[in-house]
């Protein structure tokens, strides 16, 4: 299995993401700088990591989403390559238009940095196949702009299509309908504010995130 | 030629920063403030002859996220 982690100026979860993917797949991801214009051949998973790309200038994820590499990521996603965006990566994916809606300043204004309980809403996706629907998991969050917003029609549509992957099981940031993570129409793009890559080994205090990477990698290897 | 772009949150979109400013004004003893909405002002210094359509495109492609924001362009001579 071949994977890539995108690195922007200001990314800071890129190495955590690489470690999580390597732990699950046994292969180091390619680290891809934002100026790259192509995704290397054969890459079947691209991770857009957390951080503060371009200092969050203008809006979180706004500058990164217009960087050369994101045009390539968008094209790859449209071909069916799997894309996982976490935290700032989720913001980048909404700004790119790969996922609907927007992530706004947390309703409580404060930066939120703690473990939160999530409910798995969809266990049929490639990202969530090793979870049970309705199961509660705990992932860390660390964000200032995680307040998911979309208009009512969009919310109804993504709910109806089973595209809400994770929902907060407690109040975190004011997100519409407590949405923590959503899938694209094709099910090959997941964006989420909580950090599965920070919960993959016992030293993290919690391994709930490991199943996301394991399930993804097993699925990709089975289809290869 | 200069243009000023005002980016504001759409009506109905929660504005936590506006709310924080509102509270701070009240804390300073200013009564009578009904609501505060915060936005951005972006000044563009443009080549003469830049078309309105180009400025609009700059706004809709980058300067504003039209999912949550409106923009208003004001041209300054």
């Amino acid at each position: 299995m071949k994977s890539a982690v995108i690195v922007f100026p200001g990314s800071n979860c890129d190495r955590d993401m690489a470690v999580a993917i390597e732990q699950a797949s046994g292969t180091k991801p390619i680290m891809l700088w934002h100026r790259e214009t192509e995704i290397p051949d054969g890459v079947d998973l691209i991770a857009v990591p957390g951080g503060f790309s371009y200092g969050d200038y203008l809006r979180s994820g706004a500058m990164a989403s217009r960087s050369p590499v994101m045009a390539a990521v968008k094209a790859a996603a449209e071909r069916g390559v799997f894309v996982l965006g976490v935290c700032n990566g989720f913001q980048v994916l909404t700004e790119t238009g790969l996922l609907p809606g927007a992530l706004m300043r947390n309703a409580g204004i404060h930066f939120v940095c703690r473990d939160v309980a999530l409910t798995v809403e969809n266990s049929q996706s490639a990202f969530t196949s090793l979870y049970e629907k309705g199961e509660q998991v705990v992932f860390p969050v660390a964000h200032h702009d995680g307040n998911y917003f979309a208009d009512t029609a969009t919310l109804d549509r993504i709910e109806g299509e089973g595209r809400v992957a994770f929902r907060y099981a407690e109040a975190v940031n004011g997100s519409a309908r407590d949405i923590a993570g959503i899938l694209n129409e094709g099910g090959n793009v997941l964006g989420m504010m909580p950090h599965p890559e920070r919960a993959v080994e016992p030293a993290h205090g919690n391994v709930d995130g490991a199943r996301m990477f394991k399930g993804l990698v097993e699925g990709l290897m089975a289809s290869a | 030629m200069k243009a000023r772009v005002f980016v504001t949150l759409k009506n109905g979109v929660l504005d936590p920063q506006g709310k924080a400013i509102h509270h701070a004004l009240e804390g300073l003893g200013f009564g009578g403030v009904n609501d505060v909405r915060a936005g951005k002002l972006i000044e563009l210094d443009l080549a003469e002859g830049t078309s309105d359509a180009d400025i609009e495109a700059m706004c809709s492609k980058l300067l504003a996220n039209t999912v949550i924001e409106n923009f208003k362009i004001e041209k300054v001579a």
Side-chain angles (χ1 to χ4, degrees):
Chain A
M1 195 204 102
K2 213 162 152 185
S3 61
V5 176
I6 308 299
V7 186
F8 300 106
S11 292
N12 64 12
C13 301
D14 44 327
R15 283 170 293 175
D16 307 51
M17 184 65 85
V19 168
I21 293 174
E22 184 181 357
Q23 185 191 72
S25 66
T27 322
K28 275 190 199 301
I30 300 160
M31 305 304 279
L32 215 53
W33 187 233
H34 68 124
R35 294 249 169 99
E36 298 289 338
T37 53
E38 276 176 39
I39 306 297
D41 278 346
V43 165
D44 20 40
L45 169 65
I46 302 169
V48 187
F52 299 86
S53 56
Y54 300 85
D56 277 350
Y57 289 171
L58 194 63
R59 298 176 302 276
S60 297
M63 314 303 272
S65 69
R66 276 78 176 172
S67 65
V69 78
M70 284 312 298
V73 170
K74 196 171 180 197
E78 282 159 3
R79 288 198 307 273
V81 172
F82 286 86
V83 178
L84 169 64
V86 169
C87 199
N88 188 222
F90 185 15
Q91 296 160 344
V92 172
L93 294 181
T94 57
E95 283 279 346
T96 309
L98 278 171
L99 292 170
L103 291 143
M104 307 193 21
R105 183 53 40 102
N106 293 342
I109 303 164
H110 295 288
F111 192 97
V112 180
C113 183
R114 59 182 165 91
D115 288 346
V116 301
L118 306 173
T119 308
V120 179
E121 292 288 330
N122 175 339
S123 59
Q124 303 297 308
S125 80
F127 301 90
T128 53
S129 60
L130 296 184
Y131 298 94
E132 301 290 331
K133 184 174 160 62
E135 179 185 351
Q136 270 207 7
V137 292
V138 173
F139 288 173
V141 295
H143 60 247
H144 211 166
D145 296 321
N147 180 354
Y148 184 72
F149 176 89
D151 59 41
T152 306
T154 304
L155 291 170
D156 288 345
R157 194 181 74 240
I158 60 176
E159 297 250 27
E161 293 170 356
R163 287 166 54 190
V164 176
F166 295 97
R167 219 185 285 275
Y168 298 110
E170 56 188 281
V172 175
N173 53 26
S175 281
R177 301 187 192 177
D178 293 318
I179 288 171
I182 55 169
L183 295 154
N184 71 339
E185 216 172 344
N188 63 311
V189 178
L190 170 69
M192 60 191 297
M193 290 311 297
H195 287 273
E197 82 284 8
R198 293 191 192 173
V200 296
E201 51 185 80
H204 288 154
N206 166 9
V207 294
D208 281 351
R211 276 180 289 160
M212 179 177 298
F213 296 97
K214 190 163 180 264
L216 250 180
V217 166
E218 282 175 2
L220 286 168
M221 284 178 167
S223 64
Chain B
M1 148 188 179
K2 285 190 176 169
R4 289 176 159 177
V5 176
F6 295 90
V7 181
T8 50
L9 285 171
K10 287 184 175 174
N11 284 336
V13 174
L14 181 74
D15 178 8
Q17 294 183 86
K19 284 225 174 341
I21 296 166
H22 192 179
H23 287 151
L25 287 172
E26 286 175 339
L28 288 171
F30 292 105
V33 180
N34 294 325
D35 193 20
V36 179
R37 307 279 287 170
K40 291 183 195 112
L41 163 63
I42 300 167
E43 279 193 341
L44 303 171
D45 189 341
L46 298 162
E48 288 306 319
T50 304
S51 71
D52 289 359
D54 274 349
I55 306 174
E56 289 262 340
M58 291 177 202
C59 293
S60 56
K61 283 191 175 174
L62 178 64
L63 302 182
N65 178 342
T66 55
V67 174
I68 46 172
E69 294 169 328
N70 291 322
F71 60 85
K72 195 179 80 189
I73 299 162
E74 189 183 278
K75 291 202 340 198
V76 188

